[in-house]
Amino acid sequence: MSTKPTVVVAMSGGVDSSVAAGLLLRQGYNVLGITMQIWQESTTQTKGAGCCSLGAVEDARRVAAKLGIPHYVLNFKEFFAEKVINNFISEYKNGRTPNPCVNCNRYVKFDALLSKAQDLGAEYLATGHYARVEFNEDRRRWTLRRALDHDKDQTYALYHFTQAELEHTLMPLGLVTNKAETRAIAEELGLLVSNKPDSQEICFVQGGSYTDFLADAAPETVQPGDIVDTTGKRRGSHDGIAFYTIGQRKRVNVGSPIPLYVVGIDAQTNTITVGGNDDLLEDGLIADDINWIGLPGIDGPLPVMAKIRYNMEAVPAVVSPGENGSLVLKFDQAQRAVTPGQSLVMYEMDSDSVIGGATIQRTLR
């Protein structure tokens, strides 16, 4: 019998969460595996199956059997639809670019699933995310730090954590040096998913594109409209606002001697605005729906390192309190393609700890 606490591992059927379960088992924890059924597929084929699909559920079940741990499947379909899919549709209706993985982590995995884990008597919920959870003795606060493998670091999608959630969360892959080491551990454990490809698609639109999904769920987002330039002059037409995001060049077919990019999306008029690369540069942004982790909050300007998209290096900026509970962030150097609906995540200067994050509402322009 294990002398360590019980931990529920969110098992998606991929190599990361499978190795997380194996590592915690090695460390002496009493491990239970839970897979969330959040979307129904018409096939049980496992090859290439996405996160939490029926095929992924079967992969997770096989891994649990190999590790000798109990495995349960819980139906989160309706809750997932309410918190993730409905938001995804709503944001595109409003001409914004959502981040469904952030909302899934926030509301489904580390809220509803953590609560379910505690109902089962577990002390911790663990996932296969690449991040570190530590306690800062000086501040007496739980902190979220970047993974040792910065190429795989996933803190950008995890800024939502509360102190209570961090206290009961384990992320063993935060200490893994790279993905090759993760796969090597999976091979050592004899897991059949050791060479399974990483899932790249949005889990609830498997078998098609997100625009196909939106064509059914929100047909107004795929209606033709005008493309105009920054002066308001009509330059061409588009196939629907769902096909575009800020900074995009593809599908901007307006016959220009210079490259043109999407610089604005107006859902009310169904209009795409295009401009040159300089038109994408912004001095700062306004964000709301703020969550602070490393600090309880701010009452004045604070230098930070900021990220406004997943695949970018954090850049120097200064964040200040804004109006009506918002925040104002000003970059030291103008940044390209600030996108409403995406996440702003802030790190401490000269550190890998997350200070907090928010949802981008608009640029300062």
Side-chain angles (χ1 to χ4, degrees), residues 184-244:
I185 295 171
E187 289 186 4
E188 291 175 14
L189 294 169
L191 305 182
L192 294 177
V193 296
S194 61
N195 291 314
K196 184 177 179 178
D198 292 340
S199 178
Q200 301 293 331
E201 73 274 5
I202 300 171
C203 63
F204 52 88
V205 294
Q206 294 173 43
S209 69
Y210 78 93
T211 49
D212 292 337
F213 173 82
L214 287 170
D216 292 330
E220 63 268 40
T221 66
V222 291
Q223 296 302 311
D226 289 338
I227 296 178
V228 301
D229 61 25
T230 54
T231 69
K233 180 182 178 181
R234 187 181 185 279
R235 300 293 297 272
S237 61
H238 65 79
D239 297 325
I241 60 174
F243 291 96
Y244 298 86

